[in-house]
Amino acid sequence: MEVIYRHNYIEKIEHYLDKDTIIILTGQRRVGKSYILRSFKEKLEGNETNNVIYINKEKHAFDSIQTYQDLNAYIDQKKVDNKKNYILIDEIQDIEDFERSVRSYYEEPDIEIVITGSNSKMLSSDLSSKIGGRYKEIYIQSLSYKEFMTFHHLADSDETLLKYIQYGGLPGLVRYGLVEQDAREYQMDVFNTVLLKDVIMREQIRNVPFLENLVRFLADNTGKLISANNVAKYMKSQGETITPTAIINYIKYFCDAYILHKVNRFDIHGKKLFETNDKFYFEDNGIRNAIAGGNREGDIEKVIENIIFNHLIRLGFDVTIGQLRAGEIDFVCSKPDGQRAYIQASYIIADETTREREFGNLRKIDDNYAKYVISMTPLVSKADDNGITHLHLRKFLLEGLNK
């Protein structure tokens, strides 16, 4: 099968080499972390001064590496003096007490460590407590629209955008083609693997039927404000009693496995975060669509919002939901350098009522930061409406917020 390199991630890895830091590639299973790590491995092996020690815990050849002692023994056997040793470990969370090895070899000279993992709880809490802040996390996402076109040999068009909306960006889809039944089976296989390995087994979940019902509820309510109390009331109406605390824990497990992303609300006028009622978006809109079922006709705005959220993260923004005194802004985007933008997501601006809803809330914000409406309105590529930029979704996915 053709290997397609995601050069932007390789460049990010290389940027943090020789900076006295451990590099961690994080993200949901099957978004491409393993391919990126292998691509980096192949590049390193082109230099004879490098010695690459590579371990992939999803391959049976490495089944014997179960604990940090096993890992230490393997690395010591493969390590070469007078060379730069690169320790590359895929799905490291499957090795018991792995952080003890990472901490130990991190202290040695002429060693670089790049690891991948699919559980944010383990990789953040365990490493931060054992080695402090001496690591850099590189978050790997499913394919961008540009990458989707490259992987599937498609040209930019409205039809291609609709395929991206429908099928999402799991790299492995390239093996099956964009065929509805095959794609959905693959997406559900990926989801069930993540659910089993990174949620059910890791957190020792017994109430699996509720877990499945909860994720379907979240798929149906993507982009809506959700509280644990309201979910508990809904589940009770379906004949299942569960506490709000348990619901909060279950949702956190989904977020730890990168299936979901939690987005807090931000009081635009009061400049503070709310502590209740969050929104949730899926890492991959194709998986979200497979879980929700049906076609996109009835929930196109949810999917568009999910896609915009993920691309804003890809562009390096921190994202919250904007709360006005009377109204809501879909996304408040900020960067450490002080850059900020406000964004409304819509399907089609077809009449004055829709226009006023989307543009009107942005006009209520009394500051000079950039404001955007992103939609799929035909014939709109980029337009200005009294200081508010109206971008077509395709243009945003190709060029970002290019104001």
Side-chain angles (χ1 to χ4, degrees):
M1 186 178 72
E2 177 187 8
V3 176
I4 301 172
Y5 293 97
R6 301 174 74 180
H7 295 286
N8 58 322
Y9 289 119
I10 301 297
E11 291 170 1
K12 286 182 179 180
I13 295 171
E14 291 175 334
H15 176 75
Y16 290 104
L17 294 176
D18 299 315
K19 287 185 168 59
D20 194 33
T21 188
I22 297 163
I23 300 169
I24 309 175
L25 310 184
T26 62
Q28 180 190 284
R29 290 180 191 262
R30 303 294 182 266
V31 294
K33 300 188 303 295
S34 298
Y35 273 96
I36 290 166
L37 193 66
R38 285 204 296 273
S39 298
F40 181 59
K41 168 179 171 287
E42 292 170 5
K43 189 170 185 179
L44 291 173
E45 289 173 338
N47 185 336
E48 62 182 15
T49 65
N50 297 331
N51 177 55
V52 180
I53 303 168
Y54 174 75
I55 297 166
N56 183 352
K57 277 301 294 173
E58 291 201 321
K59 300 297 184 182
H60 65 81
F62 301 100
D63 281 348
S64 61
I65 303 176
Q66 297 291 326
T67 68
Y68 80 95
Q69 294 101 327
D70 302 330
L71 180 58
N72 289 346
Y74 185 87
I75 293 173
D76 288 342
Q77 179 187 3
K78 298 291 184 179
K79 197 168 57 163
V80 175
D81 293 334
N82 301 319
K83 282 193 174 187
K84 187 75 170 233
N85 288 276
Y86 289 85
I87 301 173
L88 312 181
I89 308 175
D90 200 6
E91 300 296 352
I92 196 170
Q93 77 274 355
D94 293 334
I95 300 174
E96 183 181 348
D97 292 331
F98 68 88
E99 68 279 354
R100 299 181 65 172
S101 285
V102 170
R103 180 182 60 188
S104 173
Y105 288 105
Y106 165 79
E107 302 288 350
E108 296 189 16
D110 295 323
I111 283 182
E112 295 281 354
I113 300 174
V114 185
I115 61 180
T116 84
S118 301
N119 187 281
S120 66
K121 176 183 175 182
M122 291 194 69
L123 291 171
S124 60
S125 61
D126 289 353
L127 280 178
S128 61
S129 62
K130 296 291 175 61
I131 64 173
R134 297 173 293 182
Y135 67 91
K136 175 61 183 178
E137 178 181 338
I138 299 175
Y139 171 48
I140 310 298
Q141 295 179 266
S142 56
L143 300 180
S144 69
Y145 178 57
K146 284 183 180 179
E147 291 173 324
F148 178 83
M149 289 190 291
T150 300
F151 269 61
H152 295 282
H153 304 289
L154 297 169
D156 176 37
S157 67
D158 286 342
E159 183 179 356
T160 297
L161 177 59
L162 290 174
K163 289 181 183 294
Y164 184 61
I165 290 171
Q166 177 74 357
Y167 294 108
L170 289 179
L173 280 177
V174 73
R175 295 194 296 270
Y176 301 90
L178 301 179
V179 179
E180 179 73 19
Q181 182 174 347
D182 293 342
R184 290 294 174 251
E185 287 179 1
Y186 174 69
Q187 288 159 342
M188 288 307 299
D189 285 346
V190 170
F191 169 70
N192 288 328
T193 298
V194 176
L195 194 67
L196 177 63
K197 290 188 175 182
D198 295 322
V199 180
I200 295 171
M201 293 175 62
R202 189 167 303 284
E203 306 297 343
Q204 299 182 328
I205 302 297
R206 294 182 179 180
N207 194 351
V208 176
F210 169 75
L211 201 67
E212 294 171 339
N213 288 335
L214 177 60
V215 78
R216 279 194 291 270
F217 174 86
L218 294 168
D220 286 336
N221 291 277
T222 301
K224 292 184 178 180
L225 291 174
I226 291 174
S227 73
N229 285 329
N230 287 338
V231 177
K233 289 177 183 176
Y234 170 79
M235 291 302 173
K236 188 173 183 179
S237 73
Q238 302 300 304
E240 183 157 13
T241 300
I242 192 159
T243 67
T245 300
I247 291 167
I248 290 171
N249 288 334
Y250 282 149
I251 291 177
K252 185 179 184 302
Y253 300 152
F254 289 136
C255 293
D256 287 341
Y258 300 99
I259 298 171
L260 289 176
H261 299 287
K262 173 185 172 182
V263 187
N264 300 111
R265 288 188 302 148
F266 177 75
D267 182 349
I268 293 174
H269 295 301
K271 309 299 182 186
K272 64 181 180 179
L273 285 173
F274 289 98
E275 296 181 354
T276 59
N277 291 7
D278 305 303
K279 289 189 177 185
F280 296 90
Y281 296 96
F282 279 75
E283 163 59 32
D284 182 73
N285 56 285
I287 285 182
R288 181 265 162 203
N289 295 340
I291 294 169
N295 57 45
R296 304 286 66 78
E297 187 174 332
D299 57 9
I300 184 67
E301 293 207 1
K302 300 176 190 176
V303 183
I304 289 174
E305 200 170 314
N306 203 118
I307 289 171
I308 291 173
F309 167 79
N310 281 320
H311 198 61
L312 289 168
I313 298 299
R314 191 175 288 114
L315 294 174
F317 286 103
D318 292 322
V319 181
T320 56
I321 307 304
Q323 186 66 51
L324 298 166
R325 293 188 181 93
E328 182 182 279
I329 302 299
D330 289 329
F331 301 118
V332 179
C333 317
S334 59
K335 290 186 177 181
D337 62 4
Q339 183 180 351
R340 179 182 290 181
Y342 303 102
I343 293 173
Q344 290 287 73
S346 185
Y347 175 34
I348 293 177
I349 310 294
D351 52 43
E352 278 306 310
T353 300
T354 307
R355 175 173 290 276
E356 180 56 31
R357 182 183 70 234
E358 305 297 357
F359 286 81
N361 280 348
L362 290 171
R363 294 191 187 102
K364 295 175 185 175
I365 303 174
D366 187 20
D367 63 33
N368 294 320
Y369 290 113
K371 301 171 180 67
Y372 298 86
V373 173
I374 300 175
S375 78
M376 292 179 64
T377 305
L379 304 181
V380 170
S381 175
K382 178 181 179 181
D384 182 83
D385 186 317
N386 295 316
I388 299 172
T389 302
H390 188 183
L391 278 180
H392 194 280
L393 180 61
R394 275 174 58 199
K395 191 170 185 67
F396 166 68
L397 294 175
L398 292 171
E399 301 177 11
L401 301 178
N402 58 349
K403 187 169 182 176

